[in-house]
Amino acid sequence: MVNGLFLLVRSYKLKKLNVFYIGIAHIFIVLGFLGNLIFSLSLLFEEAFVSFGFFFVGLFTYTTFHKNREVSAKYILLLIIILLVIHYIFQIIFFINPGSIIHLISKIFDIISTFSVFGWMGFSSFFAYKRIKDENVKDWIKFRYKLISLSALILSVQAVPELFMRYDVEYGDPANLGTLIIFGFTLIFSLIFSIGFLIAWIFPKHIKKD
Amino acid sequence: MEIIKFLADKLANRIGMSPVAARGLIKLSIKDKFGPFKPIEQLTYGDLDLMIEESLKKRLEEIEIENLEEIIRYLKTELSENQSLITMGAV
């Protein structure tokens, strides 16, 4: 949330729409999780906000790394939107009529869409870093590329453990050890991403001046 | 702004000018195109592309740089391929 607000303020000051996208993405994702896990506003509420957040992450990747040079990037963005919509539809079906097959299909789409969103960001940042690593670019900027790449790639596999979760057990239920372990893994992946992303964007000014 | 330093290094390397002079040339071209009050941090990809295409090209023409079209194309490609520096170096 801190990161999201910081990026929103910076986007206003710098008049950069892509920074707004990544800021609002953070806010949406956090609100989604808070809404469901703390305020019990249902899984559909969480998935809607998280899906919008993921869409904005994709939009950030597209506008920051690809917009003016690759036509194919538009199709990747389109693919991400389609995957997120399909996943959400399966979540609605699961909400109305829970079952193991729907749960499994929904989780598979969750894994593919999460990997597409964050894998795309991670690889985009990695290849952009490779292009500038031998150039006369400040070290903190190179570090930012590496950190964004690493944390996004870690988060891209965040949904995989959820595939092994039973459909009739509540996510993170302390009474079910398996679900609790899966929840723990997801939490660790998310925390690594959040901390990595926070460090990547919030550099002290004195480091930037070096 | 890192992207300006980056483009200046590329230009300097291409036309045998010092990086500092090339950076000055690019900054002057930005002022030619957008006036003195537009903050450099707020320049977008489109602004920089336009600056290369118009005001920088004009200034390079004035100092009689050879292979001008090729250099402009080269700078525009470098800007396009490394556009993420506009964000990564500014936030």
Side-chain angles (χ1 to χ4, degrees), chain A residues 56-200:
Chain A
F56 279 113
V57 171
L59 208 51
F60 166 79
T61 303
Y62 173 70
T63 50
T64 303
F65 297 96
H66 305 280
K67 190 181 173 188
N68 304 290
R69 65 191 190 94
E70 286 169 23
V71 181
S72 60
K74 273 184 191 169
Y75 297 111
I76 298 177
L77 187 62
L78 185 68
L79 179 76
I80 285 171
I81 295 168
I82 292 168
L83 285 169
L84 291 171
V85 170
I86 293 173
H87 173 236
Y88 193 69
I89 289 169
F90 275 105
Q91 283 295 110
I92 294 171
I93 298 169
F94 180 77
F95 188 75
I96 298 165
N97 187 17
S100 60
I101 298 294
I102 296 294
H103 171 78
L104 193 66
I105 297 170
S106 170
K107 285 300 164 199
I108 288 170
F109 274 103
D110 192 13
I111 290 168
I112 299 170
S113 57
T114 306
F115 183 78
S116 306
V117 170
F118 291 97
W120 193 31
M121 183 199 249
F123 284 118
S124 299
S125 186
F126 174 71
F127 287 118
Y129 165 73
K130 272 186 81 178
R131 281 193 293 274
I132 56 117
K133 74 175 175 147
D134 297 321
E135 302 285 350
N136 179 23
V137 171
K138 284 176 186 158
D139 287 339
W140 68 266
I141 297 174
K142 290 180 182 175
F143 182 67
R144 174 176 280 175
Y145 276 102
K146 284 194 278 186
L147 208 51
I148 289 174
S149 175
L150 185 70
S151 48
L153 287 173
I154 288 172
L155 196 68
S156 71
V157 293
Q158 170 257 336
V160 175
E162 291 177 30
L163 191 64
F164 306 101
M165 204 172 87
R166 278 176 50 188
Y167 82 94
D168 53 353
V169 176
E170 203 175 325
Y171 189 49
D173 183 355
N176 186 294
L177 185 64
T179 313
L180 202 61
I181 291 170
I182 290 166
F183 181 74
F185 270 115
T186 309
L187 194 69
I188 290 167
F189 285 143
S190 305
L191 272 177
I192 292 172
F193 173 76
S194 302
I195 293 167
F197 226 65
L198 187 73
I199 296 170

Side-chain angles (χ1 to χ4, degrees), chain B residues 52-66:
Chain B
I52 293 170
E53 184 70 50
E54 295 180 5
S55 50
L56 181 63
K57 187 177 180 181
K58 198 174 163 197
R59 279 189 176 266
L60 291 173
E61 238 168 20
E62 282 167 8
I63 55 172
E64 296 175 350
I65 295 293
E66 287 177 17

Side-chain angles (χ1 to χ4, degrees), chain B residues 32-66:
Chain B
D32 291 345
K33 186 70 202 161
F34 303 106
F37 302 114
K38 176 138 186 170
I40 281 181
E41 292 76 24
Q42 290 182 10
L43 290 172
T44 63
Y45 173 89
D47 293 336
L48 292 167
D49 191 63
L50 206 62
M51 176 275 294
I52 293 170
E53 184 70 50
E54 295 180 5
S55 50
L56 181 63
K57 187 177 180 181
K58 198 174 163 197
R59 279 189 176 266
L60 291 173
E61 238 168 20
E62 282 167 8
I63 55 172
E64 296 175 350
I65 295 293
E66 287 177 17

Side-chain angles (χ1 to χ4, degrees), chain A residues 21-55:
Chain A
Y21 294 149
I22 195 69
I24 203 77
H26 274 75
I27 306 271
F28 267 112
I29 294 168
V30 172
L31 284 180
F33 282 114
L34 285 180
N36 185 26
L37 298 175
I38 309 277
F39 301 106
S40 303
L41 293 173
S42 89
L43 190 65
L44 285 185
F45 174 88
E46 177 187 320
E47 290 295 344
F49 272 73
V50 170
S51 296
F52 270 114
F54 280 18
F55 163 69

